[in-house]
Amino acid sequence: MSTRLVIDHRKGGALLRHPEKAHRPDNPIARKPDWIRVKAPNHPVYHETRALMREQKLVTVCEEAACPNIGECWSQRHATMMIMGEICTRACSFCNVTTGMPHALDDGEPERVGEAVAKLGLRHVVITSVDRDDLPDGGAAHFARVIGAVRAASPSTTIEILTPDFLRKPAALEVVVAARPDVFNHNLETVPRLYTSIRPGARYYQSLRLLDDVKRHDPSIFTKSGLMVGLGEERPEILQVMDDLRVADVDFITLGQYLQPTVKHAAVKHFVTPDEFADYAAMARAKGFLQVSASPLTRSSYHADSDFAELRAAREAKLAAVRSGAESV
């Protein structure tokens, strides 16, 4: 059985999740091809994971963004925590997260995230957030506290963060980097030409600079970025973004199919085939990325545990090759 996952995000049947999009004309949701169908979540561990998230009063991007992989991931206890609330200050046309004025930060959240990671027994955890343009540091100090709390509660867990762009937040990045996550992820999301319509609150070169600055501050931290495809981008534009990311020394790239959450969101222009994804993956590897994940259902945190193990092994192999070459000279 396959199904389209739908999460009801209306509160009391009255408050719309995306009031800023209400004036937009409807974009009919195209029928998905067979290769994007997913099974309804019904595994017992899925329900256990969901219960733990509710018990710890935690928000997950899996639910808020209506991720199609939630059944598979939660059945393996892989939930991506979304910190700093469920209300975002941005209004990207692709995103299903609620837009509005966020609530005050929850001082108890870092410890609850750490406790949840320990209870789930995670080897690797992904922690993301909404954009918090309302905060002087964009939430950087809160990210650092969460990283510290996870390390205290589950010292062996490797930590991957997926951050906002910290636009116009001086010194915010340095605070997060100083907490030394194992992977620093920030998604470019789409090609520069589409930013004004798809990601209007962001700036392509700010996002690119953020990733470059992570490596400048601490070259040992793995960097990662992702793109959605199917929004109207052209193949040469995708390849140029890959080149831009390599110039910034980004280690890991993900590419996945954009799926339209509602009729008020940006329309899918094209369903990229598995063969096209395989071609993009081959091109990315040829350009020098240590790790590549490219498939219709790829998302930033999809298979992040096994991907991190492969990423670390790829770096070790690369360093070993460099040492071997130096010794032979």
Side-chain angles (χ1 to χ4, degrees), residues 109-251:
E109 183 176 57
E111 285 67 35
R112 293 200 307 276
V113 172
E115 185 177 343
V117 169
K119 286 184 175 181
L120 288 168
L122 298 181
R123 293 182 302 173
H124 186 80
V125 65
V126 182
I127 300 162
T128 188
S129 79
V130 291
D131 274 284
R132 291 299 302 258
D133 296 312
D134 59 309
L135 299 175
D137 69 346
H142 198 77
F143 257 108
R145 282 191 59 203
V146 171
I147 293 169
V150 171
R151 289 251 160 81
S154 185
S156 64
T157 301
T158 50
I159 300 171
E160 178 173 331
I161 58 169
L162 172 55
T163 76
D165 58 11
F166 299 120
L167 184 63
R168 292 184 287 273
K169 306 296 181 185
L173 176 66
E174 288 87 338
V175 172
V176 181
V177 170
R180 303 205 72 250
D182 296 280
V183 181
F184 192 111
N185 186 1
H186 174 67
N187 288 332
L188 294 182
E189 306 291 12
T190 190
V191 300
R193 176 175 58 84
L194 297 179
Y195 259 56
T196 54
S197 61
I198 300 301
R199 203 177 173 221
R203 302 292 180 270
Y204 177 79
Y205 288 104
Q206 163 66 19
S207 289
L208 199 60
R209 187 180 304 112
L210 185 82
L211 292 161
D212 186 62
D213 284 347
V214 173
K215 276 292 203 289
R216 182 168 56 84
H217 288 297
D218 189 340
S220 70
I221 295 176
F222 289 103
T223 50
K224 177 177 175 181
S225 190
L227 294 173
M228 300 172 292
V229 293
L231 284 161
E233 71 288 333
E234 301 291 338
R235 175 185 167 88
E237 293 177 303
I238 292 288
L239 299 182
Q240 182 60 60
V241 171
M242 289 183 186
D243 288 339
D244 291 345
L245 288 171
R246 288 302 302 130
V247 169
D249 200 22
V250 170
D251 301 296

Side-chain angles (χ1 to χ4, degrees), residues 87-119:
I87 302 175
C88 186
T89 54
R90 304 277 176 92
C92 298
S93 66
F94 67 87
C95 185
N96 199 46
V97 174
T98 302
T99 298
M101 180 53 68
H103 304 298
L105 292 178
D106 180 350
D107 288 339
E109 183 176 57
E111 285 67 35
R112 293 200 307 276
V113 172
E115 185 177 343
V117 169
K119 286 184 175 181

